[in-house]
Amino acid sequence: MENMTHLYFDSIDEMRDQTDSHGPNYLRDHTAERDYFSPLSVVTSIHTPQEYLFSNYMDTWSFCVHTPARSEFFHETYMHKHNFFELMYVQRGDVRVMIEEAETAYTQGNLCLLNRNTMHRETDMSNADIVYIGIDPALLTQWPKSFPPPFQYKSILNQFFSDNLSERAAYKKDYLDFTLLGTDAIPQLTQELIRAFSVKRIGYQFDIYSSLLRLR
């Protein structure tokens, strides 16, 4: 059974005016630090000929915002930061992202890992499908000791998180760009995580740990 809330809006104004209690409305309060209330979250930004779909999968609840393709909801992005690490993966197309004071272009297969204090916004994502994986520091610092370490010891990812997990590193505004070599496992891992959050079968948290272990 899918544990997913579907929200339908005909326009940006309707979305901006919604007042539910699911969390900050970033179309009204675009300076808020973004917090998706989950040790790990998966967000997908997908374009279809009829709709633009913004889906957020996480522990507390999962939702999908449906807006007409013409609504250009995806243009409503502002400079912001997160209280978690964000891994952006370009699944299709091209996207331009302003990170601090520099704009960078990313294409299909590119990834960008953003530190918690790094300000950023998508400046053009009209021709891209994007996956965002949000990783709360607690997920890594409280990693089960009975599990293998989440990242290989000498890997780029392990070095990045090791450098940025301490409280003294909270001020850092760095990020990491990289491109996958060989087989691209991100789409499969994304679907595994989405299914874990959507179905929430007994012990699904272990499914999430298992999927993250393969993000090496």
Side-chain angles (χ1 to χ4, degrees):
M1 180 177 180
E2 184 186 52
N3 293 287
M4 188 81 173
T5 301
H6 292 270
L7 308 170
Y8 296 85
F9 300 95
D10 291 328
S11 68
I12 293 296
D13 290 336
E14 183 183 358
M15 177 64 180
R16 184 181 288 110
D17 292 340
Q18 61 94 16
T19 56
D20 60 46
S21 60
H22 296 311
N25 184 329
Y26 298 115
L27 297 183
R28 289 202 312 266
D29 184 9
H30 60 263
T31 60
E33 183 174 79
R34 303 201 177 178
D35 180 352
Y36 291 134
F37 320 110
S38 183
L40 186 135
S41 63
V42 178
V43 171
T44 60
S45 170
I46 304 295
H47 296 266
T48 73
Q50 294 78 32
E51 291 183 301
Y52 170 65
L53 306 174
F54 179 86
S55 304
N56 198 333
Y57 303 87
M58 51 190 168
D59 273 328
T60 50
W61 72 300
S62 298
F63 65 87
C64 177
V65 176
H66 300 250
T67 59
R70 57 174 170 76
S71 68
E72 297 190 343
F73 171 80
F74 49 86
H75 285 167
E76 296 288 316
T77 57
Y78 303 91
M79 292 297 287
H80 64 278
K81 62 181 180 178
H82 304 282
N83 62 359
F84 51 83
F85 300 101
E86 181 179 77
L87 178 65
M88 180 191 76
Y89 166 75
V90 183
Q91 182 171 293
R92 179 196 63 83
D94 307 277
V95 60
R96 299 190 68 85
V97 183
M98 180 70 70
I99 303 178
E100 292 296 330
E101 298 179 357
E103 188 176 46
T104 303
Y106 297 92
T107 61
Q108 182 174 335
N110 290 163
L111 297 100
C112 177
L113 179 59
L114 293 156
N115 208 345
R116 289 168 287 172
N117 207 38
T118 305
M119 297 292 291
H120 60 282
R121 75 179 181 95
E122 294 81 355
T123 57
D124 185 359
M125 54 191 294
S126 60
N127 183 37
D129 292 338
I130 307 171
V131 175
Y132 303 91
I133 298 177
I135 303 173
D136 189 274
L139 183 72
L140 302 177
T141 58
Q142 299 174 19
W143 189 263
K145 295 186 182 302
S146 59
F147 278 39
F151 307 111
Q152 294 178 351
Y153 177 68
K154 294 185 178 181
S155 70
I156 296 174
L157 288 175
N158 187 70
Q159 186 64 53
F160 182 87
F161 287 118
S162 297
D163 291 344
N164 290 297
L165 276 172
S166 72
E167 291 185 5
R168 291 177 298 175
Y171 69 93
K172 295 179 68 175
K173 300 175 180 287
D174 55 342
Y175 63 98
L176 179 67
D177 288 338
F178 55 103
T179 301
L180 295 175
L181 300 176
T183 304
D184 183 356
I186 300 295
Q188 178 181 343
L189 295 181
T190 299
Q191 290 306 310
E192 289 177 4
L193 290 168
I194 287 174
R195 176 172 174 76
F197 283 126
S198 299
V199 178
K200 284 189 168 65
R201 65 181 184 178
I202 295 176
Y204 77 94
Q205 293 91 346
F206 292 100
D207 295 333
I208 292 170
Y209 285 125
S210 176
S211 295
L212 196 59
L213 276 171
R214 295 196 296 282
L215 185 66
R216 288 172 164 230

